[in-house]
Amino acid sequence: MNNQSFTTLSPTQIETLKAYGKKEFYDEPTTLVNLGQKDYDFFIVLEGSIHIKNAEEEEEVVAKHDANHFTGSSSILSGRASELFALATANTTLIRIRPAALKKAIADHSDISDLLMNAFLSRQVVLMKNYVGGIKVIGIENTSATYAIRDFMEKNNLWYHFIDVEKNETALDLLNNFNLSKNDLPVLIDANNNVAANPSINQLAKYAGVQADFDNEIFDVLVVGAGPAGLAASVYAASEGLRVITIDSSAPGGQAGKSSKIENYLGFPTGISGNELAHNGYIQAQKFGCVISIPHVVERFERTKDYFIIEASDTKPIRARAIVAATGVDYNRLPLEGIEKFEGAGIYYSATAMHASMCKSTEVGIVGGGNSAGQAALFLAKNAKKVYVIIRGKNIRAKMSEYLVRRIENKENVEVLTECNVTKLMGTTYLERIELTQRGTLIANEISYLFTFIGAKPCVDWIGEQVQKDEKGFVCTGISIPTESLEKSTAFTTRKPYMFEASLPGFFVVGDVRGGSVKRVASAVGEGSIVISDIHKYLALAPVSS
């Protein structure tokens, strides 16, 4: 691991942290943290050492923490399952601190917060980039079931090792050892040899600790959606002392999380991937005490006199005094027959490192002319033999930032096809080739990986008719709400709706799903942070429930 991962605590910092934990001594080698353990503790080494291992009995040590070093990664703040074993060597003295107490220490002391957060995030990056391990995912690359598992793990930063049974000769032997066959794929195996055949996403989320447990309380705020707007709202609300719970149907990041590199976001001159930006926001919100749980799909909600009751998949009803809807938009499907069977098996809606590996030395198609399409084209071009950017318009500059256009024009293996549409998909179990129509001419192409970034429809099915929307389905807020809609609420007879408040009092909307919003990461973050001032005003007027 790098030097930042092994930053030491100063004597003063150690003395400060002693007040948050208890001193322990181990005269014999002892397991402190087990693989898959949730709610595990933070340790500071006073004397002796702690070994971090992939497997409890293995000789190889991933990391060794000596005096004044400390254990843990970002997962300790999020309640996720431990990805490694931590073992104290003989004659080790340490300080044990529970996660809740650690969060309090981080909140109380900025120097400790900065040191620990930098080390935690660095360790997570180093582990996932430089070490082979984590959960074994055995499957077939070009199948939707295997893709769904891998996509969830990639976007939620879960450490795993993929083994393709069609490319790895030992994969079938591994399946046979567990009395499994190809019919059981995909299969997950952890370091303790616990096996899950064809697991659901919810099973995986619960095992990994991505899906959180929480008390049956009334939260101040429920944030629905963990994209840039939702995460910003979560960070600001939690940092200002509100009790916040945030849920998402898939992963942190929203549409921005699908961007391979964002270069025009203030403060990141060399750019940052959407996934990294989202993961940092995810950890930041939990550092301040926000509860984040994934995946949950909101099925219905109702407003009582004192609070909202929200029913979502795979969780008990959530009660909150205010709602922030930050559910964003989804890319539209190509209007092609049989596209559903190729989704996750040749048709994709994001471009990550996993996709880049899949597309190595192949021809790739990108459908769309916006920034997300341009970022994906340049990212995939590093591995792909050829990338075609397919747009309906006559000029790629119509919707794409100039810096992306210039780079695409200078990239030898990227070609822009204007006035062009995908008109047919072909293949049996996965996409094998496509048919294009360009200015009336049919073009056959051997593209077997097609990425689509077209259109944007607001994710409002869960909202129903309870709030006013505009003609395109985006939610109206503030002064954009028609007067006749306001007349339905007695609350709006004594006050006007706040800037980001919808036609239902206490229901706030930010980001891409809001009518009139600017579809940019920076504006989404701005709205998510500003809305908290509206919520404070609303909560000051609303009755307090018990």
Side-chain angles (χ1 to χ4, degrees):
M1 294 208 177
N2 62 20
N3 291 334
Q4 192 174 37
S5 300
F6 285 99
T7 303
T8 58
L9 291 162
S10 70
T12 302
Q13 290 170 331
I14 291 174
E15 282 300 313
T16 299
L17 287 167
K18 280 182 180 178
Y20 295 88
K22 62 179 182 177
K23 190 174 177 180
E24 297 180 346
F25 173 73
Y26 295 92
D27 58 355
E28 296 182 354
T30 305
T31 299
L32 301 174
V33 181
N34 281 299
L35 180 81
Q37 181 179 338
K38 300 174 187 174
D39 195 35
Y40 62 93
D41 296 335
F42 172 83
F43 297 95
I44 302 168
V45 180
L46 299 179
E47 293 179 349
S49 63
I50 295 175
H51 291 180
I52 308 300
K53 294 185 176 184
N54 236 335
E56 196 167 16
E57 302 302 323
E58 279 186 7
E59 292 297 321
E60 183 183 0
V61 176
V62 173
K64 181 172 177 275
H65 298 298
D66 296 316
N68 303 331
H69 288 171
F70 53 89
T71 63
S73 70
S74 55
S75 63
I76 203 169
L77 300 176
S78 61
R80 293 188 177 195
S82 172
E83 297 166 315
L84 297 162
F85 292 92
L87 302 101
T89 59
N91 300 313
T92 290
T93 304
L94 50 80
I95 299 170
R96 178 192 292 265
I97 301 176
R98 296 286 296 137
L102 180 65
K103 288 182 181 181
K104 188 175 188 308
I106 287 172
D108 293 345
H109 306 282
S110 62
D111 61 325
I112 291 173
S113 172
D114 292 346
L115 187 147
L116 296 187
M117 293 303 297
N118 284 330
F120 286 170
L121 291 170
S122 174
R123 288 173 183 179
Q124 194 78 10
V125 170
V126 170
L127 179 71
M128 297 188 72
K129 285 187 176 180
N130 298 334
Y131 291 90
V132 175
I135 298 173
K136 292 185 180 70
V137 179
I138 305 172
I140 300 173
E141 185 174 73
N142 291 321
T143 60
S144 56
T146 297
Y147 173 77
I149 292 291
R150 294 183 67 201
D151 187 54
F152 182 83
M153 298 183 85
E154 287 274 339
K155 290 175 180 175
N156 284 281
N157 284 273
L158 298 175
W159 190 35
Y160 77 96
H161 175 212
F162 176 56
I163 303 171
D164 190 338
V165 297
E166 295 192 339
K167 296 178 182 178
N168 190 311
E169 294 179 358
T170 64
L172 289 178
D173 292 335
L174 188 59
L175 289 177
N176 290 333
N177 287 340
F178 292 97
N179 296 316
L180 298 171
S181 69
K182 281 189 175 183
N183 294 329
D184 297 304
L185 298 177
V187 170
L188 306 184
I189 305 174
D190 69 17
N192 288 325
N193 286 330
N194 296 312
V195 178
N198 195 20
S200 69
I201 295 297
N202 284 314
Q203 287 175 313
L204 172 59
K206 288 174 182 175
Y207 167 79
V210 177
Q211 196 170 95
D213 293 322
F214 52 88
D215 296 329
N216 187 25
E217 62 180 290
I218 298 174
F219 292 89
D220 292 315
V221 185
L222 164 70
V223 181
V224 184
L231 288 174
S234 303
V235 167
Y236 277 82
S239 68
E240 293 179 14
L242 296 177
R243 184 65 176 137
V244 191
I245 181 169
T246 300
I247 62 175
D248 193 277
S249 62
S250 176
Q255 294 285 47
K258 300 174 182 179
S259 295
S260 52
K261 193 174 186 181
I262 302 169
E263 290 191 69
N264 57 357
Y265 186 63
L266 185 66
F268 294 92
T270 59
I272 185 170
S273 74
N275 181 271
E276 184 181 359
L277 184 66
H279 184 64
N280 288 351
Y282 172 80
I283 297 301
Q284 189 177 12
Q286 289 170 109
K287 160 188 160 181
F288 289 115
C290 176
V291 177
I292 302 182
S293 190
I294 299 170
H296 300 292
V297 176
V298 177
E299 295 167 345
R300 61 179 295 275
F301 72 92
E302 63 176 287
R303 189 178 189 277
T304 67
K305 178 184 176 183
D306 297 337
Y307 51 79
F308 292 90
I309 301 175
I310 301 93
E311 293 185 7
S313 61
D314 293 287
T315 188
K316 56 193 171 187
I318 303 169
R319 296 184 295 170
R321 298 173 64 202
I323 290 179
V324 175
T327 44
V329 297
D330 270 339
Y331 289 120
N332 290 322
R333 278 178 170 171
L334 290 167
L336 298 172
E337 182 180 351
I339 189 171
E340 296 87 352
K341 78 172 184 177
F342 295 123
E343 289 177 327
I347 301 288
Y348 307 100
Y349 299 93
S350 60
T352 66
M354 175 183 69
H355 298 106
S357 176
M358 292 164 60
C359 299
K360 191 173 183 179
S361 302
T362 64
E363 293 194 350
V364 173
I366 308 285
V367 184
N371 281 1
S372 294
Q375 290 160 354
L378 292 168
F379 178 67
L380 295 174
K382 297 174 184 177
N383 281 30
K385 177 182 177 182
K386 183 70 177 281
V387 176
Y388 296 94
V389 180
I390 304 159
I391 64 171
R392 291 183 299 176
K394 296 181 179 181
N395 192 332
I396 197 171
R397 283 182 164 81
K399 295 181 180 180
M400 192 178 294
S401 294
E402 183 64 22
Y403 81 94
L404 289 172
V405 174
R406 290 198 300 269
R407 290 182 185 178
I408 285 172
E409 289 176 340
N410 290 319
K411 198 73 174 175
E412 291 183 0
N413 64 333
V414 178
E415 180 180 348
V416 179
L417 303 178
T418 59
E419 298 179 82
C420 188
N421 288 289
V422 180
T423 48
K424 192 174 182 180
L425 306 172
M426 291 164 278
T428 50
T429 57
Y430 57 88
L431 185 66
E432 296 173 11
R433 59 192 182 280
I434 68 171
E435 182 182 86
L436 302 170
T437 300
Q438 186 177 35
R439 292 184 284 276
T441 302
L442 289 179
I443 306 170
N445 198 298
E446 295 301 312
I447 287 172
S448 57
Y449 294 97
L450 190 67
F451 298 81
T452 74
F453 302 91
I454 57 170
K457 57 180 180 181
C459 300
V460 292
D461 289 347
W462 65 282
I463 294 175
E465 303 301 320
Q466 296 192 64
V467 298
Q468 180 67 43
K469 306 182 194 71
D470 64 20
E471 66 279 1
K472 294 182 179 179
F474 293 88
V475 181
C476 300
T477 58
I479 61 174
S480 72
I481 303 172
T483 303
E484 57 271 21
S485 296
L486 298 179
E487 292 172 351
K488 298 175 184 178
S489 172
T490 56
F492 293 137
T493 60
T494 56
R495 69 172 178 88
K496 293 181 179 179
Y498 300 117
M499 183 188 307
F500 296 110
E501 192 173 20
S503 57
L504 183 64
F507 192 100
F508 298 84
V509 185
V510 293
D512 290 0
V513 73
R514 188 179 69 84
S517 66
V518 179
K519 308 300 187 278
R520 288 288 185 270
V521 174
S523 60
V525 170
E527 290 187 13
S529 58
I530 294 169
V531 72
I532 304 306
S533 63
D534 285 353
I535 289 175
H536 279 301
K537 296 174 191 174
Y538 169 77
L539 293 178
L541 297 174
V544 178
S545 305
S546 59

